[in-house]
Amino acid sequence: MTTTNQTFDTIVIGGGPSGLMASIAAAEKGANVLLIEKGKKLGKKLAISGGGRCNVTNRLPTEEVIQHVPGNGRFLYGPFSVFNNYDIIDYFEGLGVPLKEEDHGRMFPVSDRAQDVVQALLREQERLGVTVWKETKVERLLFDDTKVLGVRLTDGQDVGATSVIVAVGGKAVPQTGSTGDGYPWAERAGHTVTTLYPTEVPLLSKEPFIRSKQLQGLALRDVAVTVWSQKGKKLTTHQMDMLFTHFGVSGPAILRCSQFVVKEQMKNGNRPVTLTIDSFPETNEEVLFQQLRKTLADEPKKAVKNSLKSFAQERWLLFLFERSGIDPDQKGATVSNEQLRALAREGKAFSFTSHGTQPIEKAFVTGGGVKTKELNPKTMESKLKDGLHFCGEVIDVHGYTGGYNITSALVTGRVAGLHAASITR
């Protein structure tokens, strides 16, 4: 890297999924593109996503994809009208990375190697002549009253550009370089940055059974977890797997519920939030009670822990017995209807409280960011500064895990790059 001032058509800050896509899209349009990355490697977040397999996108219809983006998902209708999740599939297959569909529409490389996705993007960048400066830090954006002018690096060098794309990510997964750099830049340009908070993050709990580690390591399969408001209103329910830990609860169902816990705490003065676990989501409480009663009636002399062992995993069943006042060794004939009704109730709606989440640095996704109303959804350009674009996790759009956040990053990155390259002065 030289120390003399240089000028490019488009500068992209950040070498994650949205930045890589933005730089390629702008270069496709003939722009002279510079990508600046503060770390040693490009595509670090892509390389570790999906457990190192990279959940590139999701094949669900647009409407359903947007339903899986509870944080301002409707904003994505704009960028999706230019480039959508099906276009992502075609795009990577065109780059020689065939994809396969797994459960819930999740798309992965056939090779199961995230690195193949990263390498395909890096090859395309090189083919299109994108200039890349690694281990280079941007100090701030340069702009006048109406438009962006370029960036100033931490070494004091100014680099001019007709358009600048901020694709630096949020604050989640900081080991990949997402440390919130873009928020102060956006604010200096006049943008609003909405409250930042962790989403897709494990929950903390001070319940006695958590503190005693009684259930630590227990995974429940296909249970329905519900988050409740202080007034007793159902905020969300997710039916997936979950896990008890030494600090609280985790697993897919909990990660999806986590942002609703955070938002409820923002409203209720940071008080604990109630969640319930329905271990039998396919049946109602009365039917479950009748099934339990019939099973015990069929084997009245057997210990209940043996008669009912097919109803749930042993550790969970014994825990529910304890909550219902049932001795696991007592004979089926001695269990009262009250005890059985209590067991059915606990099985359908075991209740506990969470007092918060792990910190944003431990989250998979950042909630909050650059306010979407201040961006043009079909171009990702700032409504406040001409030529300035934002894309990816730095904007206030966040989805569940399952390919939805990478989809948002790739789509908004491509749209930003295509538009940034079209700006001339």
Side-chain angles (χ1 to χ4, degrees), residues 3-181:
T3 54
T4 57
N5 290 358
Q6 294 187 52
T7 302
F8 291 83
D9 297 327
T10 301
I11 294 173
V12 179
I13 314 171
S18 61
L20 289 171
M21 199 58 138
S23 67
I24 290 167
E28 274 177 23
K29 290 289 183 185
N32 181 18
V33 181
L34 167 66
L35 184 139
I36 302 174
E37 165 56 44
K38 69 178 180 182
K40 292 180 180 179
K41 280 184 175 178
L42 301 181
K44 275 182 85 173
K45 199 173 268 191
L46 270 176
I48 63 168
S49 68
R53 297 197 303 133
C54 191
N55 185 179
V56 180
T57 188
N58 196 293
R59 189 163 222 146
L60 290 176
T62 297
E63 194 68 44
E64 287 188 54
V65 168
I66 284 167
Q67 282 173 10
H68 284 82
V69 183
N72 290 321
R74 294 187 67 78
F75 175 81
L76 293 178
Y77 279 117
F80 268 49
S81 69
V82 181
F83 186 80
N84 64 27
N85 51 322
Y86 297 106
D87 295 323
I88 291 173
I89 295 167
D90 293 342
Y91 181 79
F92 280 105
E93 300 208 316
L95 290 184
V97 184
L99 303 179
K100 60 179 176 178
E101 184 174 349
E102 295 192 4
D103 59 317
H104 309 295
R106 297 183 305 151
M107 301 298 293
F108 290 88
V110 169
S111 66
D112 282 329
R113 281 171 39 88
Q115 204 54 46
D116 291 351
V117 176
V118 176
Q119 288 303 323
L121 292 172
L122 298 184
R123 280 195 303 271
E124 189 66 355
Q125 254 193 343
E126 196 174 343
R127 183 183 77 80
L128 291 164
V130 174
T131 301
V132 177
W133 292 350
K134 297 177 196 169
E135 296 183 84
T136 303
K137 289 187 178 179
V138 171
E139 185 180 296
R140 61 188 177 95
L141 306 179
L142 302 175
F143 41 77
D144 61 20
D145 290 344
T146 61
K147 62 186 180 296
V148 74
L149 302 170
V151 302
R152 176 163 295 161
L153 305 180
T154 51
D155 65 4
Q157 178 187 177
D158 289 351
V159 188
T162 310
S163 55
V164 173
I165 301 171
V166 178
V168 292
K171 289 190 85 166
V173 205
Q175 65 269 30
T176 64
S178 298
T179 51
D181 302 353

Side-chain angles (χ1 to χ4, degrees), residues 55-342:
N55 185 179
V56 180
T57 188
N58 196 293
R59 189 163 222 146
L60 290 176
T62 297
E63 194 68 44
E64 287 188 54
V65 168
I66 284 167
Q67 282 173 10
H68 284 82
V69 183
N72 290 321
R74 294 187 67 78
F75 175 81
L76 293 178
Y77 279 117
F80 268 49
S81 69
V82 181
F83 186 80
N84 64 27
N85 51 322
Y86 297 106
D87 295 323
I88 291 173
I89 295 167
D90 293 342
Y91 181 79
F92 280 105
E93 300 208 316
L95 290 184
V97 184
L99 303 179
K100 60 179 176 178
E101 184 174 349
E102 295 192 4
D103 59 317
H104 309 295
R106 297 183 305 151
M107 301 298 293
F108 290 88
V110 169
S111 66
D112 282 329
R113 281 171 39 88
Q115 204 54 46
D116 291 351
V117 176
V118 176
Q119 288 303 323
L121 292 172
L122 298 184
R123 280 195 303 271
E124 189 66 355
Q125 254 193 343
E126 196 174 343
R127 183 183 77 80
L128 291 164
V130 174
T131 301
V132 177
W133 292 350
K134 297 177 196 169
E135 296 183 84
T136 303
K137 289 187 178 179
V138 171
E139 185 180 296
R140 61 188 177 95
L141 306 179
L142 302 175
F143 41 77
D144 61 20
D145 290 344
T146 61
K147 62 186 180 296
V148 74
L149 302 170
V151 302
R152 176 163 295 161
L153 305 180
T154 51
D155 65 4
Q157 178 187 177
D158 289 351
V159 188
T162 310
S163 55
V164 173
I165 301 171
V166 178
V168 292
K171 289 190 85 166
V173 205
Q175 65 269 30
T176 64
S178 298
T179 51
D181 302 353
Y183 304 122
W185 301 341
E187 287 177 329
R188 283 197 67 238
H191 279 279
T192 308
V193 175
T194 61
T195 304
L196 303 175
Y197 56 91
T199 80
E200 300 297 302
V201 64
L203 294 176
L204 308 175
S205 177
K206 294 176 180 172
E207 293 282 0
F209 69 88
I210 295 290
R211 287 183 158 174
S212 69
K213 302 184 181 174
Q214 185 178 356
L215 296 176
Q216 182 179 341
L218 174 64
L220 300 182
R221 304 288 174 210
D222 202 34
V223 292
V225 181
T226 300
V227 182
W228 299 88
S229 76
Q230 202 174 0
K231 294 177 180 174
K233 180 187 169 197
K234 187 184 286 191
L235 299 175
T236 192
T237 300
H238 289 287
Q239 186 175 332
M240 302 175 91
D241 298 348
M242 66 162 286
L243 173 73
F244 291 98
T245 68
H246 63 286
F247 56 78
V249 283
S250 188
I254 297 299
L255 296 182
R256 289 201 171 186
C257 286
S258 61
Q259 64 181 282
F260 296 90
V261 171
V262 175
K263 288 171 187 170
E264 174 60 14
Q265 284 198 301
M266 287 178 182
K267 287 179 187 168
N268 75 12
N270 219 32
R271 292 185 182 90
V273 176
T274 298
L275 294 94
T276 52
I277 300 169
D278 181 352
S279 309
F280 304 92
E282 306 308 326
T283 189
N284 67 40
E285 191 179 315
E286 181 59 28
V287 170
L288 177 60
F289 165 71
Q290 298 293 350
Q291 288 172 344
L292 292 167
R293 191 165 70 168
K294 182 178 185 309
T295 304
L296 294 188
D298 288 347
E299 300 179 307
K301 294 184 179 178
K302 234 181 180 183
V304 288
K305 68 180 181 187
N306 296 325
S307 300
L308 300 179
K309 65 182 181 186
S310 64
F311 275 81
Q313 292 172 70
E314 185 181 21
R315 277 179 77 192
W316 184 233
L317 191 61
L318 292 175
F319 179 73
L320 295 180
F321 282 166
E322 186 185 309
R323 303 277 299 196
S324 312
I326 296 173
D327 178 346
D329 292 313
Q330 74 183 90
K331 302 285 185 283
T334 68
V335 179
S336 71
N337 278 349
E338 279 89 357
Q339 287 174 309
L340 271 189
R341 285 204 179 276

